[in-house]
Amino acid sequence: MLPKDIVAQFIADIHAQRFDEAKTLLVSEGFEYVGPNMRFLSRDDMMSYQFGMAAIQKDLVLRQLSADGEHVFAILDYRTNFEPIGDVRLAVWFRVREGKIHTVEAFYNAAIVENMLGGILPTASGRD
C-alpha cells in the first residue's frame, strides 16, 4: 500500500473504533506521537488514549488527505458529543516508511483538550 492509503486506512479504523486494526498500521518499535499537549513514545500508549476518547467521539470527518512521498497530511474534524469540547479541527502530519506509520504529529487547539481533562494530561510517556 502507498503511504496515503495506509493513513487513510488508519483514519478509517479510528473512525470505526477498530483500535486493534489501527494499531497494526503503526510501527511497533520507535513510534512517536507529538501533539500540542502530550507525547507518546509507544503505539500502545497512543492507542490506549484513543480508546479512552472513543466515549466522546461522535464522528471523525476526513476533510483533506494529501501525500508527498512518505509524508501524508490530513485535515480532520473530530466531532464529539461532549458539549464543553464541541468539535475540534485537527491537522495531522504522518510519516510512513516501509508500510508502517512511524510518526504522527498533530496540530490543534490544545486548550480544548486541557480544559476537558481538567489540566490532567496523560503521563504514560511524558509530555512535550
Side-chain angles (χ1 to χ4, degrees):
M1 274 198 292
L2 295 171
K4 185 176 179 180
D5 298 331
I6 292 166
V7 170
Q9 184 61 55
F10 178 78
I11 292 168
D13 288 342
I14 295 294
H15 178 255
Q17 298 184 4
R18 295 186 302 257
F19 300 109
D20 288 338
E21 290 89 342
K23 181 177 162 180
T24 66
L25 298 171
L26 305 174
V27 68
S28 59
E29 296 293 322
F31 174 79
E32 182 179 28
Y33 167 88
V34 178
N37 56 1
M38 61 190 78
R39 181 176 184 213
F40 299 111
L41 297 176
S42 85
R43 69 182 191 172
D44 292 330
D45 291 343
M46 189 193 98
M47 294 311 297
S48 292
Y49 177 75
Q50 288 295 323
F51 179 78
M53 295 295 288
I56 66 165
Q57 178 182 312
K58 181 174 21 175
D59 201 4
L60 184 62
V61 178
L62 177 60
R63 299 180 66 211
Q64 176 71 39
L65 186 66
S66 58
D68 181 7
E70 70 181 21
H71 302 276
V72 181
F73 307 92
I75 304 296
L76 304 159
D77 286 333
Y78 186 82
R79 296 186 179 155
T80 76
N81 46 25
F82 186 62
E83 234 175 271
I85 296 177
D87 298 338
V88 178
R89 181 147 305 142
L90 306 165
V92 188
W93 176 17
F94 297 86
R95 277 162 259 155
V96 181
R97 287 190 308 274
E98 299 172 1
K100 297 284 185 177
I101 298 169
H102 284 249
T103 61
V104 178
E105 192 166 350
F107 304 88
Y108 56 87
N109 182 348
I112 294 170
V113 175
E114 287 190 17
N115 289 340
M116 176 195 70
L117 298 173
I120 301 170
L121 297 172
T123 59
S125 293
R127 181 179 172 171
D128 305 50

